[in-house]
Amino acid sequence: MPSEHAFVLNADEVLFDPHPKQAAIMYRLSQRVSARGGKIASKFFLHGNRGGGKSVMVRMFLHAMAMQYPGIKYVVVRRNLPDLRQNHLIYVGGEVRRLGGDWHETFLQARYSNGSMGFYRCCEDAKDVEKIVGAEAAILFVDEAPQIKWEHLRTMAPSLRIPKVDGVQPARTLEIYSGNPIGESIEEFWKYFVDQDVSLLDDPEYDAQEFEAIEIHLKDNPSLDPLEYRKQFAGLPAHFRAAWVDGIRMDARTMFDVHKRIDTEIIKRNNLSSEWAGQPYHYISELPTIDGVPLLQVPWVQWYRAFDMGYFPDPAVCLYLAVVGRRVIAIGESTWFKTIARDLAAKMNQQLRDLTRRDDCVVTYVDPQINIKTGSDTVTVMDVLEMNGVPCEASINDRVLYADAIHGLLGEEIEPGIPRFQIYEPGCPMLARYLPKMRWDDKNPRRLADHQFDHWIVALAYFAISSGVLASSSAALQDVVRPAWMAWIDEGTSRRRPHGRQR
């Protein structure tokens, strides 16, 4: 017996019967297309593990919209023609004919009896984008969208349009992107749709209300046996298994092993009881006390600063770090735009004073580039900082060493379940936000890749490299925990590595 949401063609012919999650999503999308649907996002990202039924659901939705709105046009996009054929083209012809329309195999066009049209395209390069833009459709559906370059995806969207009929807007444009949480543009999808962490400096037109993410998973699909379906994924690399099986974003290029709280991995590694689960680990929301005295008031705590110079559009940033015995805590951060060195020095000193009610700072580690002299009478940025009360020491500018040093900070524990390095999240929001988002360089896995928001991480690396805190580790702590990807580099050549990387 078909459900109330089934697509019934005749008295006994069912084209598609969506499961409850599919039906809810299709209704949400239809509200956007309807001119009377109220304020609803214009762009949707449907993500989750494999088997949820994303592709067939959206194709059926497009059939429905084509039949409901005469003359409407839509475009379906996959990265390449083989994928497009295997997931859509082998089905769409029969579906359109059952709806009373025609399918043109040569041009990959669906023509409906009411004048609506559907175009099926692949997108591997900029030339393919131009063909898609020329369609001037109302609805764009990009299947497995994270596999396609973000710049290509965003170039397609502005071509969407729906002309008015007799001065009335009959419907609204809609962008649908679907896929598993893995691919070359997944970071942008997460940034725009999930985290909604887009600076207006980077994208002045960004409106978070126009971007909506919806999860749909295998468990939502009653037509598949999850246990049987998951058997086909045996032997997958961890990042593919996380995306395809668990529906979790796990970028294979994630640089640092950051744990906000104590999780199963840490419990297993340290043989801790389950009571430790959920306790703060690398991130803390409250500062500790020492013998009942708040950390910021303890007189013997050593204070360090780490500074990365910038002006605009890159900012100047400073981290304030407390060294408490063998523990290191990032307490605060400052970010400035369009600020000259003399004023930066005054602001750094004032910020330290506001935090600690003290003026003494052991040293400020800085980028060696700000101490380059091109002549005997050159006054460098570092000279200006020191002349204005900020004692400096030039660190090292090497992204391999950045990564090695931060691995050391994050991987050590002073005792089981207690990390050596912690971030006070309320005081260091940018460091806390972007440290887990750092990636390794494709050409050199040991190198920290360039990132638009790596300034706070680079400053932390200056401290880790130059302060000597890593040299104070005991021999028992030298077995530093490394991210999973580093094991790939050490594998024997007899075993194939993820992405086919060879030593």
Side-chain angles (χ1 to χ4, degrees):
M1 184 71 179
S3 71
E4 60 179 322
H5 304 293
F7 287 26
V8 181
L9 302 182
N10 300 308
D12 58 352
E13 185 178 5
V14 177
L15 179 65
F16 178 63
D17 193 355
H19 60 65
K21 186 60 178 283
Q22 288 175 325
I25 294 174
M26 294 171 81
Y27 176 70
R28 179 67 173 166
L29 298 176
S30 67
Q31 285 182 305
R32 165 62 198 181
V33 178
S34 171
R36 298 180 295 276
K39 177 63 176 176
I40 295 176
S42 61
K43 305 165 184 63
F44 288 82
F45 177 37
L46 313 180
H47 65 96
N49 59 4
R50 290 196 166 191
K54 296 181 289 293
S55 298
V56 65
M57 171 192 68
V58 179
R59 192 173 68 249
M60 292 300 166
F61 168 78
L62 295 173
H63 289 326
M65 294 298 100
M67 297 299 290
Q68 183 173 348
Y69 297 94
I72 202 171
K73 292 190 287 187
Y74 67 81
V75 179
V76 176
V77 179
R78 284 280 307 224
R79 182 176 61 176
N80 55 53
L81 187 57
D83 288 343
L84 183 64
R85 188 171 301 281
Q86 293 169 15
N87 289 272
H88 295 287
L89 300 184
I90 60 176
Y91 306 108
V92 66
E95 293 164 355
V96 173
R97 293 186 187 100
R98 292 170 69 186
L99 291 167
D102 294 316
W103 170 250
H104 295 261
E105 181 67 29
T106 302
F107 300 107
L108 305 183
Q109 291 180 5
R111 294 180 179 271
Y112 298 82
S113 57
N114 62 358
S116 295
M117 297 180 66
F119 303 87
Y120 289 74
R121 300 286 185 263
C122 57
C123 181
E124 293 189 271
D125 53 37
K127 292 182 179 179
D128 291 331
V129 175
E130 295 175 4
K131 299 174 185 177
I132 296 167
V133 169
E136 296 185 356
I139 304 174
L140 171 66
F141 169 41
V142 185
D143 199 7
E144 295 300 337
Q147 297 179 0
I148 299 174
K149 289 184 178 181
W150 181 254
E151 61 186 88
H152 292 343
L153 296 170
R154 298 316 305 145
T155 305
M156 299 177 199
S159 67
L160 299 180
R161 64 197 65 183
I162 298 179
K164 290 184 178 180
V165 177
D166 298 328
V168 178
Q169 191 73 45
R172 295 183 292 186
T173 60
L174 170 65
E175 300 169 41
I176 308 170
Y177 305 93
S178 74
N180 309 119
I182 189 170
E184 66 177 290
S185 63
I186 191 60
E187 185 167 348
E188 287 82 2
F189 272 102
W190 230 252
K191 179 179 178 180
Y192 274 77
F193 286 90
V194 181
D195 293 339
Q196 297 196 328
D197 180 23
V198 180
S199 168
L200 293 180
L201 290 174
D202 303 321
D203 190 342
E205 306 302 324
Y206 180 71
D207 180 358
Q209 294 183 345
E210 293 294 320
F211 293 78
E212 184 171 330
I214 301 177
E215 291 188 59
I216 178 170
H217 296 282
L218 172 62
K219 66 182 181 181
D220 299 316
N221 189 353
S223 65
L224 289 179
D225 183 339
L227 295 179
E228 285 297 318
Y229 188 77
R230 290 169 68 104
K231 289 180 181 179
Q232 64 184 296
F233 300 115
L236 282 176
H239 58 289
F240 282 109
R241 186 170 59 251
W244 291 354
V245 181
D246 302 321
I248 298 171
R249 180 193 173 203
M250 178 181 163
D251 194 320
R253 292 175 55 222
T254 298
M255 190 81 197
F256 301 120
D257 194 17
V258 182
H259 298 264
K260 188 169 185 177
R261 297 184 178 277
I262 293 179
D263 53 23
T264 304
E265 178 184 338
I266 296 172
I267 290 175
K268 183 178 180 180
R269 188 172 72 211
N270 291 289
N271 196 26
L272 302 173
S273 70
S274 59
E275 297 177 354
W276 284 75
Q279 295 296 314
Y281 195 71
H282 283 132
Y283 291 9
I284 56 176
S285 57
E286 296 181 358
L287 292 175
T289 59
I290 300 175
D291 295 330
V293 180
L295 176 67
L296 297 177
Q297 299 176 22
V298 176
W300 52 264
V301 169
Q302 292 183 307
W303 290 94
Y304 291 80
R305 286 183 297 227
F307 174 74
D308 188 40
M309 183 61 185
Y311 188 75
F312 187 84
D314 291 332
V317 305
C318 185
L319 297 182
Y320 305 85
L321 302 111
V323 176
V324 188
R326 293 183 51 254
R327 294 181 67 182
V328 178
I329 303 176
I331 301 292
E333 66 184 31
S334 298
T335 305
W336 303 281
F337 291 95
K338 296 183 177 181
T339 306
I340 61 175
R342 182 186 61 189
D343 294 339
L344 288 171
K347 292 177 182 293
M348 279 190 274
N349 284 329
Q350 185 60 50
Q351 179 70 5
L352 182 66
R353 197 175 299 118
D354 291 342
L355 279 172
T356 68
R357 300 180 184 177
R358 293 163 53 181
D359 293 312
D360 55 315
C361 176
V362 176
V363 71
T364 302
Y365 297 107
V366 301
D367 182 351
Q369 296 293 318
I370 69 172
N371 193 39
I372 294 178
K373 297 180 182 291
T374 57
S376 59
D377 58 348
T378 298
V379 177
T380 66
V381 171
M382 184 168 138
D383 291 335
V384 174
L385 293 176
E386 292 192 314
M387 287 187 291
N388 286 274
V390 176
C392 298
E393 181 177 318
S395 185
I396 297 174
N397 195 334
D398 186 317
R399 285 184 169 265
V400 172
L401 295 183
Y402 292 173
D404 289 345
I406 294 177
H407 286 315
L409 275 182
L410 293 171
E412 290 188 1
E413 294 183 330
I414 57 174
E415 60 183 76
I418 307 295
R420 185 173 191 189
F421 174 68
Q422 292 180 308
I423 300 172
Y424 177 51
E425 196 169 4
C428 303
M430 301 301 281
L431 177 64
R433 176 181 298 178
Y434 290 109
L435 181 60
K437 297 183 179 182
M438 294 297 105
R439 305 288 181 257
W440 47 262
D441 192 304
D442 272 329
K443 296 181 179 179
N444 182 356
R446 285 191 59 207
R447 182 182 184 275
L448 176 66
D450 293 329
H451 190 284
Q452 184 178 3
F453 298 106
D454 64 5
H455 314 290
W456 302 267
I457 289 76
V458 169
L460 176 64
Y462 293 153
F463 167 80
I465 291 171
S466 300
S467 64
V469 294
L470 296 178
S472 65
S473 301
S474 66
L477 288 170
Q478 292 305 308
D479 186 17
V480 174
V481 178
R482 304 189 303 169
W485 65 264
M486 295 188 76
W488 303 347
I489 305 174
D490 301 331
E491 291 175 353
T493 55
S494 61
R495 181 177 176 184
R496 187 172 179 175
R497 298 178 180 79
H499 296 307
R501 294 185 176 277
Q502 300 297 318
R503 184 161 55 184

